[in-house]
Amino acid sequence: MKAAFRKLDLLLHCDEREHVTALLQELGVIHLELNNNFRNEALEELELRKSRVLKAIECIESYTKNENFRQIKDDSAGAVTDQLINEILTLKLEKESLQQEIELLNKHHQKLIPWGDFDPEKLKKLEKAGLKIILYAADRKAFRDYHFKDILTEVIYEGSDRTYFAVLSASQAVSIPFERVELPALRISDIAHKKDKLQTVADEITTSISNHLPLIPALKKELLTIENEWKLLLAKGSYTRYASGKVLHISGWFPANVEDKLTHYLEQEKISYLVSDPTSTDKVPVLLKNHKYPKLFETITKVFQLPNYYEMDLTPFIAVFYPILFAYCLGDAGYGIILLFVAIIGWFTFLKSSRSMAVLGVILGLFTTILGVVKSGSLFGQPITTDESNPLFQFLAQYIFIPDDNDVVFNAFNVALMIGVVQILTGIIISIINKIKYHGFIQSLSQQGKLLMVISLIWLFLADMQGVEPLQPFEALRKVLLALGVILVLFFHDLKQPVLSRTASGILPLFFILTGILGDVLSYVRLFALGVASSVLGLVVNQIGANIMEGAWWGIVLGVVFMLIGHSLNFALATLGAFVHPLRLTFVEFYNNANFEGGGVAYSPLRKIESS
């Protein structure tokens, strides 16, 4: 569901802009139509300061151990000044510079290792005396096979695949086909000493940065202050001018349920305003307004994009279908129990700050646990029907309503297709309701035709696939539905075109419906395939683990370890597939059949952001 919005137009004298904009921010319910291209010096200064504060926060957090964050208190910070930010960012630059020097020294050290800790000054003295020593590196085999003739060589170090050697010559003119090595003018011991000194300074800088940890709350509060000032300045720059710039105008949107309160406030402040309903050309913001259960699935809706103001919010339908699709893909009651327990543990630990995700995990875990028994009956990869002597399996077996038996009409494969059919038909019905609600009944006739065609085609496809011979009256009805659907699509698919050209161009939407419906329905086979894959992999893990456990005690230990690791990997892989593929079915098949357009802009009123 979406909140209803109304449009607000304000007219004011240019001298009132500061006062009125501040009042709007204080009121905090109006989504203004802002000019995002507006720029001035004050706005750019705020953006620069925001960037610097963000860098300061990132710097402190990156150089501070995680356990120290628990020691921060909101009241432990002082005022944030430019001098303080400069100090933190300067320390950051010094630290980065030192790290670059240390990395360079490490490279020099690696380069010098084969040559040992020799003094480069001695090579210079030999060169002054007329003896040139040139260093080379070569492939070990190539070095051994090469004939140096009268060239004097000395192997310095021989690795597994490389040979490092020196050539002694009275001149520079030595021509051999090997890589010449230029070494840094430092000894290994000098590098180690210099690196230790630099590391000491770097550690001191890290400590200095960490000492600013108590300032994190103040820096984050400063960010909020900057954000509030930035929005206020942008709002002030978004007014349009009339009458030589003395009269200003700005438009905005507000939820319809606050109209009485808002208009009373504006009248009290003696601000000229006009309230009106949105038109089809307006870019109205969107505020999702769902009840507790579907609200949990708004995160999934926002993964794709918000609906626009002139179409239905599909979140309540996602809340119905997504858990079923997820559970069908994961397909194992044991894995559902694990997911349930992980979500419950997350509620008290790692999901404490986003408990809605923990509740969503509990819902998906419960659906998977129930459907894992109802569909095929699989518990940690073990088919429930295989062990009739087990009291638990014997009890659960009576609740298997969707078996893998091909002789049963409602088997796991067919039910996956049926779920797809229901979701596709739901999507088309939603598109019809959308057309009627926002564009009128006539505009919906083409979608009604599509619905009739899809019903008749699915009827034809599923009846033939299952070998069901329809009774004669129903056979005629199927043909009538198909013919009527074709007529509605041909004549009403694009009412902007003249009748003749509309009829001719109707061949294309008919083609898409006829070819698309089969692909859409068969896409839901992935529900069955993924469920089978996770169950089969779990069964294979059980069988291999059982074979390992036959024998000595250590075999039992190895078998248990193997089963734990195997089921953990299978659970992770199956959960990933169960998360991704229902999203694909939702955002492609369901959204496409619902004629979802999207592109909604989130409701973002001008208001002061308070620190939490």
Side-chain angles (χ1 to χ4, degrees):
M1 294 175 62
K2 306 188 308 294
F5 276 84
R6 300 206 73 194
K7 188 174 185 179
L8 177 72
D9 289 282
L10 297 177
L11 283 175
L12 56 141
H13 192 271
C14 60
D15 294 337
E16 298 178 301
R17 175 165 51 182
E18 296 278 341
H19 174 66
V20 171
T21 310
L23 287 177
L24 293 178
Q25 188 180 42
E26 183 182 339
L27 194 57
V29 295
I30 301 173
H31 177 109
L32 293 175
E33 293 184 346
L34 299 175
N35 177 15
N36 291 309
N37 295 321
F38 171 75
R39 284 291 177 273
N40 65 9
E41 187 176 341
L43 206 63
E44 290 174 357
E45 286 179 2
L46 281 175
E47 289 174 348
L48 177 61
R49 182 170 176 79
K50 180 181 178 180
S51 173
R52 287 166 56 79
V53 173
L54 280 171
K55 287 178 181 177
I57 293 172
E58 181 185 347
C59 173
I60 296 170
E61 290 181 345
S62 62
Y63 290 116
T64 306
K65 293 181 180 178
N66 291 334
E67 55 266 22
N68 292 336
F69 283 99
R70 300 172 190 166
Q71 303 170 9
I72 306 176
K73 295 181 179 178
D74 291 343
D75 58 353
S76 60
V80 176
T81 62
D82 288 334
Q83 182 181 355
L84 176 63
I85 296 172
N86 287 337
E87 181 184 338
I88 296 169
L89 296 182
T90 300
L91 288 170
K92 179 177 181 286
L93 289 174
E94 291 177 0
K95 172 78 174 181
E96 290 172 350
S97 177
L98 286 170
Q99 285 178 329
Q100 289 175 0
E101 288 187 54
I102 291 170
E103 287 175 7
L104 183 61
L105 289 174
N106 284 332
K107 290 178 181 178
H108 289 339
H109 181 266
Q110 290 296 322
K111 202 169 185 179
L112 284 169
I113 284 175
W115 307 98
D117 189 17
F118 70 93
D119 187 357
E121 292 298 323
K122 292 182 179 180
L123 293 181
K124 291 180 181 178
K125 289 178 181 179
L126 289 172
E127 189 173 346
K128 287 180 181 179
L131 182 62
K132 178 68 175 176
I133 297 179
I134 309 171
L135 305 179
Y136 287 91
D139 179 80
R140 186 174 179 181
K141 185 176 183 303
F143 174 79
R144 289 183 177 179
D145 295 342
Y146 188 75
H147 298 287
F148 287 93
K149 298 180 181 179
D150 56 347
I151 299 175
L152 296 176
T153 63
E154 180 66 28
V155 175
I156 307 299
Y157 176 78
E158 195 166 35
S160 59
D161 58 348
R162 299 277 285 174
T163 298
Y164 300 85
F165 62 96
V167 172
L168 286 71
S169 173
S171 67
Q172 297 278 359
V174 176
S175 179
I176 55 176
F178 299 116
E179 176 191 353
R180 186 166 176 172
V181 179
E182 297 291 339
L183 296 179
L186 289 169
R187 298 179 63 173
I188 288 181
S189 55
D190 294 335
I191 289 175
H193 179 66
K194 189 174 181 180
K195 192 169 73 172
D196 288 341
K197 287 178 67 178
L198 291 175
Q199 190 61 54
T200 301
V201 177
D203 291 341
E204 290 173 356
I205 292 175
T206 300
T207 303
S208 298
I209 293 173
S210 299
N211 289 338
H212 289 93
L213 183 63
L215 293 169
I216 288 287
L219 288 167
K220 290 185 176 179
K221 191 173 181 181
E222 179 69 11
L223 268 183
L224 294 180
T225 303
I226 293 170
E227 187 69 21
N228 288 330
E229 291 179 14
W230 185 86
K231 286 185 176 180
L232 191 62
L233 279 175
L234 186 60
K236 291 176 184 176
S238 298
Y239 288 86
T240 54
R241 296 177 177 272
Y242 296 97
S244 303
K246 292 183 179 181
V247 177
L248 302 179
H249 167 262
I250 194 167
S251 297
W253 302 92
F254 63 89
N257 62 345
V258 301
E259 182 175 351
D260 292 340
K261 179 182 174 182
L262 175 62
T263 53
H264 176 74
Y265 184 85
L266 294 173
E267 288 170 2
Q268 192 176 25
E269 294 294 331
K270 298 180 180 179
I271 300 172
S272 299
Y273 70 90
L274 174 66
V275 173
S276 59
D277 291 322
T279 64
S280 58
T281 57
D282 288 326
K283 192 71 173 177
V284 187
V286 173
L287 174 63
L288 299 183
K289 198 175 181 181
N290 292 294
H291 297 297
K292 288 184 178 180
Y293 176 72
K295 191 174 184 64
L296 295 170
F297 294 84
E298 286 182 1
T299 305
I300 295 175
T301 298
K302 293 171 184 176
V303 166
F304 191 71
Q305 55 181 296
L306 289 172
N308 64 57
Y309 188 73
Y310 301 102
E311 63 182 347
M312 289 176 64
D313 173 25
L314 300 182
T315 305
F317 301 97
I318 293 174
V320 173
F321 285 108
Y322 188 83
I324 298 172
L325 302 181
F326 180 94
Y328 215 95
C329 281
L330 193 51
D332 187 278
Y335 291 165
I337 293 169
I338 292 176
L339 181 59
L340 180 62
F341 277 107
V342 169
I344 292 171
I345 293 169
W347 171 275
F348 297 102
T349 54
F350 59 91
L351 290 176
K352 205 170 183 179
S353 58
S354 55
R355 283 182 165 168
S356 61
M357 297 301 296
V359 177
L360 186 58
V362 168
I363 291 168
L364 296 178
L366 283 172
F367 268 83
T368 304
T369 303
I370 295 169
L371 203 56
V373 174
V374 173
K375 192 252 322 170
S376 304
S378 175
L379 186 67
F380 293 109
Q382 194 67 29
I384 291 171
T385 54
T386 57
D387 190 357
E388 295 180 358
S389 62
N390 188 316
L392 176 62
F393 282 19
Q394 193 175 19
F395 171 75
L396 294 176
Q398 61 185 324
Y399 297 105
I400 301 175
F401 300 122
I402 308 173
D404 289 328
D405 189 353
N406 290 332
D407 296 329
V408 179
V409 173
F410 290 97
N411 59 49
F413 179 86
N414 289 344
V415 169
L417 294 179
M418 291 174 190
I419 291 171
V421 168
V422 172
Q423 190 173 34
I424 288 168
L425 293 178
T426 302
I428 299 172
I429 292 169
I430 289 169
S431 71
I432 294 171
I433 296 171
N434 265 333
K435 289 287 186 182
I436 294 172
K437 183 176 180 180
Y438 296 107
H439 304 285
F441 181 80
I442 300 297
Q443 294 282 350
S444 72
L445 290 175
S446 175
Q447 287 301 109
Q448 292 183 42
K450 179 180 178 180
L451 178 64
L452 296 177
M453 286 184 64
V454 168
I455 290 173
S456 58
L457 289 170
I458 290 174
W459 187 355
L460 175 66
F461 169 67
L462 292 181
D464 289 350
M465 185 181 72
Q466 295 300 322
V468 177
E469 292 294 335
L471 298 174
Q472 192 64 31
F474 294 105
E475 175 70 18
L477 176 62
R478 187 170 63 182
K479 293 178 180 179
V480 169
L481 290 177
L482 183 58
L484 182 58
V486 170
I487 292 170
L488 289 174
V489 172
L490 276 176
F491 287 97
F492 295 96
H493 72 95
D494 187 359
L495 294 175
K496 294 178 182 178
Q497 297 185 42
V499 176
L500 291 177
S501 59
R502 186 194 315 160
T503 307
S505 62
I507 302 298
L508 192 60
L510 282 176
F511 172 78
F512 286 137
I513 293 171
L514 292 169
T515 56
I517 187 58
L518 182 61
D520 286 350
V521 172
L522 291 180
S523 290
Y524 287 83
V525 172
R526 72 183 72 237
L527 299 176
F528 168 76
L530 288 169
V532 169
S534 63
S535 297
V536 169
L537 284 173
L539 180 61
V540 170
V541 169
N542 291 338
Q543 290 176 343
I544 296 175
N547 290 336
I548 294 174
M549 285 191 283
E550 293 177 357
W553 63 269
W554 53 266
I556 297 175
V557 174
L558 286 176
V560 170
V561 171
F562 174 83
M563 290 177 71
L564 286 173
I565 294 173
H567 277 297
S568 297
L569 292 174
N570 189 35
F571 171 74
L573 185 63
T575 304
L576 179 63
F579 173 74
V580 171
H581 289 286
L583 285 182
R584 192 260 182 203
L585 292 171
T586 300
F587 296 149
V588 178
E589 275 72 25
F590 181 54
Y591 273 26
N592 179 57
N593 284 288
N595 270 3
F596 181 81
E597 295 179 6
V601 177
Y603 170 61
S604 178
L606 178 66
R607 63 168 56 141
K608 284 186 178 179
I609 307 171
E610 302 292 341
S611 56
S612 55

